[in-house]
Amino acid sequence: MTLNDISKFIALILRHKPEVIGIQLDEHGWANVDELIAGINRQTTFNMQMLEKIVREDEKMRYSFNEDKTLIRANQGHSIPVDVGLAESVPPDILYHGTGEKYTASIDVQGLVPKSRLYVHLSRDTETAIKVGSRHGKAVIYEVLAGQMEQDGYRFYLSANGVWLTKHVPVKYLRKLL
């Protein structure tokens, strides 16, 4: 496995299925680093230096260590119920959501919903939204009226890696950008 493959495997473990390597996450999404390394080592050669490199160089900053690097967690994107201690934050007036063209019919009817995740992921800029949307085919970008949503009582959270999160974005707060 390449480091990129291992990074994707870690995302699977820390966001969705810790049981694939026989570990558990605590209620805040933290995994024991030694247990994570040992579990991955059952599949491929892996060590602390490789893990540190993945955490340090991940362009999306998906992972965080605790202070003494004995624990690690995904910053967001979980499908399993964890509380990563996100502080409620006031969003900018406009945020963006990138998706694939094939999902727009559903979004245009029900708005943005987290599907298998705990939150809808939003970005501060269109460049990031385009990158995200392109992973799902032809990218379509939605402008999210986050400031209006927040005034109307919706809660927003800012993850450690700068991704804005909310539980749902109703259709009335969306504008499809062409």
Side-chain angles (χ1 to χ4, degrees), residues 129-164:
I130 290 167
K131 215 186 257 189
V132 170
S134 296
R135 293 192 317 232
H136 306 285
K138 183 178 178 197
V140 175
I141 307 306
Y142 285 89
E143 190 175 74
V144 176
L145 305 177
Q148 185 61 53
M149 283 182 66
E150 196 266 338
Q151 287 176 10
D152 291 347
Y154 290 85
R155 293 188 172 129
F156 286 83
Y157 308 91
L158 185 59
S159 72
N161 60 344
V163 175
W164 284 92

Side-chain angles (χ1 to χ4, degrees), residues 55-127:
V55 172
R56 183 177 59 249
E57 296 180 4
D58 185 81
E59 69 177 30
K60 294 183 180 180
M61 299 184 306
R62 287 182 184 98
Y63 316 108
S64 294
F65 284 117
N66 68 342
E67 298 257 334
D68 63 0
K69 295 186 178 179
T70 58
L71 301 174
I72 187 171
R73 72 176 173 193
N75 289 320
Q76 96 282 324
H78 300 86
S79 62
I80 53 178
V82 296
D83 175 7
V84 295
L86 296 170
E88 197 172 322
S89 298
V90 176
D93 286 341
I94 303 293
L95 289 169
Y96 301 92
H97 181 80
T99 190
E101 192 174 46
K102 61 188 171 192
Y103 300 116
T104 61
S106 171
I107 291 168
D108 292 346
V109 171
Q110 62 182 340
L112 297 173
V113 294
K115 292 196 220 172
S116 62
R117 294 187 176 186
L118 301 179
Y119 296 98
V120 172
H121 294 205
L122 305 171
S123 57
R124 187 180 291 274
D125 58 79
T126 55
E127 293 79 18

Side-chain angles (χ1 to χ4, degrees), residues 1-2 6 9 37-47 50:
M1 270 195 216
T2 67
I6 295 171
F9 188 43
I37 291 170
I40 294 172
N41 256 316
R42 288 195 285 276
Q43 315 258 333
T44 189
T45 303
F46 191 64
N47 60 41
M50 294 167 79

